[in-house]
Amino acid sequence: MTAVTAAPATETQVPTDDGALLAVSVLAPLAPATGTTVLLAHGWGASRRVWSTVADRLIRCGHRVVAYDQRGHGASSQGREPFGIARLGSDLAAVLDHVASADTLVVGHSGGGFAALSYASSHASGAGPTGPLGGLVLLGTAAHDQDTPDGEVRMMGSALFQRAVSRPALGRKLLGQNMLGPGADRQLREVNRQMFAATSPAVRAEAFRSSRGMDLRAALVSVTAPTVVLAGARDKVVPPRLGRVVAEALPRARFEELPDAGHMLPLEAPGAVVSAVHELTQGRS
């Protein structure tokens, strides 16, 4: 058997029009190339790291994979403008422009799904930087009803909460009971905790505040990209009913609820994510 030699990952920074620098990884396929580029957008309090298993499986299937850190998360800076759903859609557009690949398939989790929906609805005519999207996979996300209460926003920004999530055992317990399903093992809970604790309290508070008043439902009727919407049946952060609303609003969408999974589907259900990507790529071949 001939060994497959991977091209080195490309690490770069993509500038936005308000001065942020978005940290981006581009991973070359490990198998014969399918020609598909898959862009991965994570949610609040995470980073590119959340996609490690998903990205590995995708490149082994021949896909080119692009993952980036949302502004203020991971290795990305914040820029001059505050968090906002339209702003994050514009950030995604900047990354797509850098990718320079037509028919890119975008996978968005939670807040990354908000960004994907914002971008898709504002470029529904196909006038995006690289043409129309090849498809959407939306995980644990919503188009409305994300009005984070004042108390939760304050908690996200508090020093006391930061100290708590920075302690491994306590942080795993606090975050795990709300963000992951009951079957998630200790390692997954620890990865989730590490990413959440690594995000600054100020950024977390601003991110969770940013979705107040968001309602993209009316705009979704013009988004023609084929879409798979996945929701964890045990998701306490974004209830599955909100994912179903997204699928019902989109003209070409399928909804699936994953039993026993919580909110962190990139960690909890990487196989389901990869299967959804394959469903969309095979559907257009």
Side-chain angles (χ1 to χ4, degrees):
M1 178 180 293
T2 302
V4 176
T5 302
T10 300
E11 302 288 335
T12 189
Q13 291 181 315
V14 173
T16 68
D17 57 12
D18 75 324
L21 291 174
L22 305 178
V24 179
S25 300
V26 180
L27 307 177
L30 284 176
T34 63
T36 298
T37 294
V38 183
L39 188 150
L40 307 172
H42 69 77
W44 313 151
S47 69
R48 289 170 290 174
R49 182 184 177 192
V50 78
W51 299 111
S52 294
T53 301
V54 170
D56 181 68
R57 294 185 184 183
L58 289 173
I59 61 176
R60 289 175 184 272
C61 294
H63 301 308
R64 177 184 183 228
V65 173
V66 179
Y68 72 104
D69 288 335
Q70 301 276 7
R71 60 176 50 217
H73 291 71
S76 293
S77 62
Q78 288 184 253
R80 294 183 296 273
E81 292 185 16
F83 263 77
I85 303 306
R87 174 68 261 173
L88 294 165
S90 296
D91 289 352
L92 193 152
V95 177
L96 282 171
D97 190 39
H98 171 76
V99 169
S101 177
D103 296 327
T104 298
L105 194 152
V106 174
V107 183
H109 172 240
S110 193
F114 304 164
L117 289 174
S118 173
Y119 171 83
S121 59
S122 62
H123 294 81
S125 65
T130 56
L133 291 176
L136 291 166
V137 177
L138 303 170
L139 317 172
T141 198
H144 79 300
D145 194 18
Q146 292 298 290
D147 299 328
T148 309
D150 287 340
E152 186 175 343
V153 171
R154 286 195 298 270
M155 180 184 72
M156 290 297 163
S158 76
L160 180 62
F161 182 67
Q162 178 62 21
R163 287 196 294 272
V165 298
S166 296
R167 297 175 60 184
L170 179 58
R172 287 194 298 271
K173 181 178 180 180
L174 288 174
L175 297 174
Q177 63 190 6
N178 290 311
M179 297 183 71
L180 295 107
D185 62 28
R186 182 181 181 278
Q187 287 77 18
L188 292 185
R189 291 171 185 265
E190 177 60 14
V191 169
N192 182 58
R193 183 204 68 80
Q194 289 176 10
M195 291 187 298
F196 209 84
T199 307
S200 80
V203 168
R204 285 199 308 256
E206 190 174 0
F208 278 83
R209 187 187 296 112
S210 71
S211 59
R212 287 176 172 175
M214 177 184 73
D215 193 343
L216 302 172
R217 288 174 292 178
L220 297 186
V221 298
S222 59
V223 177
T224 59
T227 302
V228 176
V229 182
L230 302 179
R234 308 293 286 271
D235 192 337
K236 298 178 182 178
V237 179
V238 179
R241 61 178 175 80
L242 296 179
R244 189 180 295 276
V245 169
V246 171
E248 291 171 349
L250 290 164
R252 301 174 63 193
R254 179 181 74 81
F255 176 78
E256 181 179 351
E257 192 169 311
L258 303 178
D260 298 322
H263 183 62
M264 297 302 294
L265 297 184
L267 295 177
E268 298 178 78
V273 178
V274 173
S275 293
V277 170
H278 290 166
E279 175 184 333
L280 295 180
T281 56
Q282 291 167 6
R284 68 191 193 198
S285 61

